[in-house]
């Protein structure tokens, strides 16, 4: 067998992530690799840290990218803040809350669940009543933007309730960072993790995290060693810590960090609030298009996540066949439903660089034409003009 270079097809990525990577980020990734203790690299790391602080709206000293995907950022927060025997409240309204529970249990701690239906936001009243009944809980964990359902929960309110009961918060902001309002310091979030491949439009494989002073104190006061050597923040800090003599912990993914640096420079150039507004306005145009076509949104308007649109599948349509045709005939990727929503919804992402009118018109036109050719019960030909009208 002869093997040659791999040349991936050029797709438009409008699923739950990864999203389209900005060309400036791709070219940053191709710059020469230098040593991860090289002074030029260390300077880049310092800039990266302050760009992340901007994106997360925090002054937290411990704000770094974990060298692994969002799931590793999740695990970093859980293994460092929780010890065996602890009691943790986990709010679940989709797939990712379930993974939080799994993390808590693998540590040997107890997860007390606050459950809401898939497609609904985390209910602050339910959280409060669980905290009232369980005085020995010291951590509350929840997902800000549930990518499995397209729901944005009220992180500010949930955090303030956790604080009222003396709890620290762990927040999943993998899909919200760079796409929806997120203010770590103002809202009082203690530990937060994100990902690079959603609204930052960077390649997958890094997980920005941030920890408050209170969170760091809790880590310092641990009675047991962090169960993961690689994710133990006491050790990672020796490499990323300000002023600390950088000591070898693991080889940083040098070029991937160039990519993240460029992604954050792009975000800063646009302005954080402009990026949030862009996601919201484009979501409204996409919504008008889908509704004109006759497709319905899963989530109530007030809880919709602009960057992830969960829309119902028309009666009698083979949804996997539609996605297959979109990919093969249009080079367009959209997402399937996950877990309880498998076969019930499509998940259309409008993340970062992929969130623009050209993509919206392309996506609506392609879905319209595939569904029309399958004789699906939709209003053919209405979606694109409705989206254009919304944007005008
Ligand atoms: C994508 C995602 C993750 C996991 O990130 P990976 O980079 O795939 O490990 C976690 N939480 C949410 C809400 C996500 O959307």
């Amino acid at each position: 067998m002869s093997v040659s270079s791999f040349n991936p097809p050029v797709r438009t990525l409008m699923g739950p992530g990864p999203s389209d990577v900005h060309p400036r980020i791709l070219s940053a990734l191709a710059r020469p690799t230098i040593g991860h203790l090289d002074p030029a690299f260390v300077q880049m790391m310092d800039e990266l840290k302050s760009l992340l602080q901007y994106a997360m709206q925090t002054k937290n000293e411990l704000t770094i990218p974990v060298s692994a995907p969002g799931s590793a950022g999740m695990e970093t927060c859980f293994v460092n803040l929780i010890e065996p025997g602890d009691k943790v409240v986990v709010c679940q309204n989709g797939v990712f809350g379930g993974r939080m529970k799994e993390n808590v249990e693998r540590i040997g701690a107890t997860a007390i669940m606050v459950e809401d239906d898939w497609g609904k936001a985390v209910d602050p009243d339910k959280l409060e009543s669980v905290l009232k009944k369980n005085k020995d809980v010291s951590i509350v964990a929840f997902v800000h933007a549930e990518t499995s359902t397209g729901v944005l929960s009220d992180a500010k309110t949930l955090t303030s309730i956790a604080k009222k009961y003396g709890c620290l918060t762990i927040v999943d902001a993998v899909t919200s960072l760079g796409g929806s309002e997120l203010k770590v310091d103002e809202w009082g979030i203690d530990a937060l993790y994100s990902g690079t491949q959603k609204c930052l439009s960077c390649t997958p494989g890094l997980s920005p995290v941030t920890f408050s002073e209170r969170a760091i104190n809790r880590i310092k006061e641990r009675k047991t060693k962090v169960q993961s050597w690689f994710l133990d923040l006491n050790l990672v800090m020796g490499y990323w810590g300000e002023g600390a003599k950088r000591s070898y912990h693991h080889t940083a993914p040098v070029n991937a960090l160039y990519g993240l640096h460029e992604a954050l420079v792009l975000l800063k150039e646009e302005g954080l609030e402009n990026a949030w507004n862009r996601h919201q306005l484009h979501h409204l145009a996409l919504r008008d298009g889908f509704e004109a076509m006759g497709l319905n949104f899963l989530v109530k308007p007030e809880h919709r996540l602009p960057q992830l649109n969960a829309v119902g599948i028309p009666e009698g349509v083979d949804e996997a066949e539609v996605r297959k045709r979109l990919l093969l005939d249009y080079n367009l990727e959209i997402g399937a439903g996950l877990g309880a929503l498998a076969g019930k919804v499509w998940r259309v992402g409008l993340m970062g660089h992929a969130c623009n009118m050209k993509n919206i018109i392309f996506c609506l036109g392609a879905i319209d034409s595939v569904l029309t050719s399958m004789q699906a019960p939709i209003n053919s030909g209405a979606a694109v003009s409705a989206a254009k009208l919304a944007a005008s």
Side-chain angles (χ1 to χ4, degrees), residues 154-382:
D154 182 350
K156 184 179 178 184
T157 300
L158 295 172
T159 303
S160 74
I161 292 170
K163 271 200 154 27
K164 186 170 148 194
Y165 290 86
C167 294
L168 300 192
T169 43
I170 297 178
V171 179
D172 178 322
V174 174
T175 292
S176 54
L177 183 67
S180 298
E181 185 182 30
L182 172 63
K183 297 184 169 172
V184 169
D185 288 359
E186 195 181 311
W187 296 352
I189 293 169
D190 293 294
L192 175 138
Y193 59 92
S194 188
T196 42
Q197 77 278 29
K198 314 246 171 151
C199 294
L200 297 181
S201 274
C202 190
T203 46
L206 292 172
S207 178
V209 296
T210 190
F211 293 86
S212 72
E213 233 15 81
R214 292 202 305 162
I216 292 169
N217 289 338
R218 184 180 167 105
I219 296 169
K220 285 187 181 151
E221 285 163 11
R222 287 181 65 104
K223 293 180 199 76
T224 55
K225 268 190 174 180
V226 173
Q227 70 183 41
S228 161
W229 176 84
F230 185 68
L231 301 176
D232 184 343
L233 286 168
N234 296 301
L235 306 175
V236 174
M237 276 299 281
Y239 180 60
W240 276 93
E242 189 88 54
K245 192 176 164 296
R246 310 260 174 186
S247 56
Y248 170 68
H249 175 258
H250 64 278
T251 309
V254 171
N255 292 55
L257 292 171
Y258 300 164
L260 178 57
H261 183 276
E262 191 68 19
L264 294 166
V265 168
L266 280 160
L267 182 63
K268 188 138 199 209
E269 284 173 7
E270 179 176 18
L272 199 49
E273 295 198 354
N274 293 336
W276 298 338
N277 291 336
R278 174 168 54 84
H279 284 87
Q280 178 61 19
L281 292 173
H282 286 83
H283 154 72
L284 295 178
L286 184 74
R287 175 204 66 187
D288 284 7
F290 275 128
E291 288 184 349
M293 197 187 286
L295 304 196
N296 298 314
F297 274 71
L298 171 75
V299 179
K300 283 203 294 204
E302 62 270 30
H303 296 137
R304 280 182 199 156
L305 177 63
Q307 53 271 41
L308 196 286
N309 297 269
V311 291
I313 293 156
E315 274 297 305
V317 167
D318 176 353
E319 75 83 20
E321 176 63 21
V322 173
R323 283 185 294 109
K324 190 171 139 201
R325 291 206 203 168
L326 291 172
L327 193 69
L328 297 181
D329 300 344
Y330 295 87
N331 273 310
L332 172 64
E333 179 177 282
I334 64 167
L338 272 187
L341 295 173
K344 300 207 173 96
V345 295
W346 286 310
R347 290 180 303 147
V348 181
L350 280 178
M351 298 183 182
H353 181 55
C355 177
N356 61 61
M357 265 329 276
K358 177 169 161 269
N359 278 0
I360 288 173
I361 288 168
F362 171 58
C363 174
L364 289 171
I367 292 177
D368 189 325
S369 109
V370 169
L371 287 176
T372 301
S373 74
M374 292 168 90
Q375 276 142 26
I378 60 158
N379 303 321
S380 298

Side-chain angles (χ1 to χ4, degrees), residues 69-72 74 96 99 143 145-147 172 174-175 193 197-198:
S71 306
M74 176 188 275
F96 293 101
R99 291 194 181 174
V143 179
E146 241 311 339
T147 325
D172 178 322
V174 174
T175 292
Y193 59 92
Q197 77 278 29
K198 314 246 171 151

